[in-house]
Amino acid sequence: MFSNDKVDIGSLDVIFNRMIETITNSKNDIFVISEQSRRSFEEMQAELEFIKQKIKYLIDESDELEKRTKVAKQRLVEVSRFFDKYTEEQVREAYEYANELQIQLSLTRADEKQLREKRDDLERRLRVLYDTIERAEHIVNQVNVVLNYLTSDLKNVSVALEKAKIKQEFGIKIIASQEKERKRLSREIHDGPAQMMANVLMRSDLIERTYREKGIEAAIKEIAELKKTVRNALSEVRRIIYDLRPMALDDLGIVPTLKKYLSTVMEYNPGVQIHFQSYSSEKRLPSDYEVSIFRLVQESVNNSMKHGKAIDIWVKIEWLRNSVNILVKDNGKGFDKTGIKEQSFGIIGMRERVELLKGTMDIQSGIGKGTIVMVKIPFPENELVFDK
């Protein structure tokens, strides 16, 4: 690996690439396990809901049978007490009817007990499966962070060791960019269309049961809800396609691109008002800076609508001499900062972008108080920054 006190960059790259490939494959395996567990979890949830409905039905049936059995027993006592007033046939019918009801009641209670045991077992298995999914997602998140640092370090090491190897430097940048974009896309698809499609599958299985148990009107209602979910999934896919890369960013700059993007967001989300303001003259920044600013605003606005259920969102950009300030504020339902999962994809992605640009980010929120995201990004050193 070392020759004449010089580092063999080719061998170092091979080692790094193999290590990254191994970690990536492991991450993919964990992700597959997580998705399989999630599908099993959703199927078990549907089965649990069906069992609960069946238990409720059996409880009602048991209560009705118990009332009828009580009346039949009273009838049997009366017939037995005044035996000489009733025919033998009447006595026999009273006894058989009371006995038949008692048998039905016993069978119904036995079925209810069996279903309760199955329900309890399913709930235990769901808790275990949920913990497995949580751990798998946590591990995937940690691996993503490790991969990001590894690819960043690999780029820095290669540049530091031999700046003349431009081809290697470009290759590393491409790998890092592709990994970041794949991670963002996997998050978008997983949290959006994938979840919606899983819900479609689950609800489609329930429609037949609903038809059998509640009738055609309830089934038609379920189908209407299913169509709504499919429309939402289609809208989400179209939004993701649009978000892949705004072409206007390179030609027009960040401010016109954001105006167009936020206008499109309002078109896709009727009832949502986004108020955009840019203070002072816009400055053209290197492409990676402008893309990062666009993604930060995009993620913040999406969070405001998706999680905060906000109907009014304010986006403000302030251009200073040596930095740019970004503020995204909403009137949504907010959240408890002490209870938020710092390992969530959205926060990690935003913090990673800000840290890579040597900036700072602060999030202020409270339940029922909306959310404010404040980002400050210094302009790059030794890079051409000019007013538009």
Side-chain angles (χ1 to χ4, degrees):
M1 179 175 176
F2 298 97
S3 175
N4 297 328
D5 297 327
K6 292 184 178 180
V7 178
D8 185 348
I9 298 177
S11 299
L12 186 62
D13 285 346
V14 169
I15 293 172
F16 266 98
N17 288 334
R18 286 179 179 174
M19 181 170 60
I20 292 171
E21 182 180 0
T22 301
I23 296 175
T24 302
N25 291 336
S26 300
K27 182 198 74 172
N28 293 337
D29 291 339
I30 297 171
F31 182 80
V32 169
I33 293 172
S34 174
E35 287 303 299
Q36 291 174 344
S37 299
R38 188 178 297 279
R39 284 195 293 271
S40 299
F41 182 85
E42 291 167 350
E43 291 171 358
M44 288 170 63
Q45 274 189 321
E47 184 180 0
L48 177 61
E49 183 61 29
F50 177 75
I51 288 175
K52 285 181 178 179
Q53 292 177 1
K54 189 67 176 178
I55 290 174
K56 184 178 182 301
Y57 171 79
L58 288 177
I59 289 174
D60 294 339
E61 186 178 3
S62 179
D63 291 342
E64 180 63 25
L65 283 172
E66 190 172 8
K67 292 178 184 177
R68 292 168 60 190
T69 301
K70 186 176 180 180
V71 173
K73 285 183 177 180
Q74 290 175 348
R75 168 70 175 169
L76 184 60
V77 169
E78 181 183 351
V79 170
S80 298
R81 182 180 297 175
F82 303 101
F83 185 78
D84 55 333
K85 292 183 179 181
Y86 297 92
T87 65
E88 182 179 344
E89 179 66 19
Q90 289 175 321
V91 173
R92 183 178 62 79
E93 287 178 355
Y95 174 80
E96 289 179 351
Y97 181 68
N99 187 57
E100 181 183 352
L101 287 176
Q102 184 63 45
I103 292 173
Q104 290 181 10
L105 180 60
S106 299
L107 292 174
T108 301
R109 286 176 173 172
D111 290 342
E112 180 187 341
K113 180 181 178 183
Q114 184 179 6
L115 284 175
R116 286 180 182 273
E117 291 173 351
K118 189 172 183 180
R119 178 201 62 189
D120 294 341
D121 179 64
L122 274 174
E123 288 177 342
R124 285 192 295 270
R125 289 164 58 193
L126 278 171
R127 284 194 293 269
V128 173
L129 199 55
Y130 181 80
D131 290 340
T132 300
I133 294 170
E134 287 285 291
R135 286 195 296 269
E137 290 182 347
H138 180 66
I139 293 172
V140 169
N141 291 341
Q142 289 181 323
V143 172
N144 279 331
V145 173
V146 171
L147 276 174
N148 181 64
Y149 282 122
L150 282 176
T151 52
S152 297
D153 289 344
L154 176 58
K155 178 182 66 177
N156 295 333
V157 168
S158 297
V159 174
L161 290 175
E162 193 170 326
K163 293 183 178 180
K165 294 200 172 184
I166 299 175
K167 185 177 180 180
Q168 280 190 333
E169 182 180 350
F170 283 168
I172 292 167
K173 287 183 178 179
I174 290 172
I175 292 173
S177 299
Q178 286 179 339
E179 183 60 27
K180 290 176 185 176
E181 194 63 15
R182 287 170 181 168
K183 182 173 66 175
R184 188 186 70 81
L185 281 175
S186 68
R187 178 175 71 249
E188 289 278 344
I189 295 172
H190 177 271
D191 292 346
Q195 295 290 345
M196 292 179 179
M197 288 299 100
N199 185 41
V200 167
L201 288 174
M202 183 179 69
R203 297 191 70 166
S204 63
D205 291 336
L206 290 174
I207 288 175
E208 184 178 353
R209 296 178 184 174
T210 302
Y211 173 73
R212 291 200 306 266
E213 296 177 8
K214 298 182 180 180
I216 190 170
E217 290 186 2
I220 291 174
K221 186 177 180 181
E222 284 290 332
I223 292 173
E225 290 296 322
L226 188 63
K227 289 171 67 178
K228 186 186 299 182
T229 301
V230 173
R231 282 195 296 268
N232 291 338
L234 180 59
S235 176
E236 189 75 4
V237 170
R238 287 173 175 169
R239 183 188 64 78
I240 291 173
I241 293 172
Y242 175 84
D243 292 344
L244 283 176
R245 172 70 183 186
M247 300 302 294
L249 194 59
D250 296 326
D251 299 329
L252 304 178
I254 187 67
V255 171
T257 303
L258 277 177
K259 285 181 179 178
K260 181 179 179 181
Y261 167 72
L262 296 176
S263 175
T264 303
V265 170
M266 287 191 289
E267 290 178 10
Y268 276 103
N269 299 271
V272 175
Q273 289 295 320
I274 303 177
H275 314 277
F276 178 74
Q277 290 178 303
S278 177
Y279 299 97
S280 299
S281 298
E282 175 191 355
K283 299 181 186 295
R284 290 308 306 264
L285 302 172
S287 177
D288 53 344
Y289 274 70
E290 292 188 337
V291 170
S292 294
I293 292 173
F294 179 85
R295 296 303 184 199
L296 287 168
V297 173
Q298 183 183 48
E299 183 72 23
S300 299
V301 170
N302 287 340
N303 287 340
S304 295
M305 293 187 301
K306 185 175 181 181
H307 302 295
K309 307 299 181 184
I311 58 174
D312 277 298
I313 303 170
W314 292 264
V315 179
K316 299 180 181 180
I317 297 181
E318 183 182 16
W319 300 94
L320 304 178
R321 182 177 180 181
N322 298 314
S323 63
V324 57
N325 293 336
I326 303 126
L327 182 141
V328 179
K329 177 182 176 182
D330 66 58
N331 66 345
K333 62 183 183 180
F335 58 88
D336 182 4
K337 287 183 65 176
T338 60
I340 191 172
K341 294 183 178 179
E342 288 294 329
Q343 292 82 7
S344 66
F345 274 118
I347 291 179
I348 282 183
M350 293 173 69
R351 292 199 184 281
E352 281 180 353
R353 289 187 186 277
V354 173
E355 288 172 3
L356 286 172
L357 300 180
K358 299 180 181 180
T360 59
M361 182 176 77
D362 181 51
I363 300 176
Q364 298 178 4
S365 187
I367 296 177
K369 298 181 179 180
T371 301
I372 300 175
V373 178
M374 294 178 290
V375 177
K376 181 175 184 177
I377 297 176
F379 294 149
E381 298 178 1
N382 303 322
E383 292 276 1
L384 181 60
V385 178
F386 58 91
D387 293 335
K388 184 176 178 181

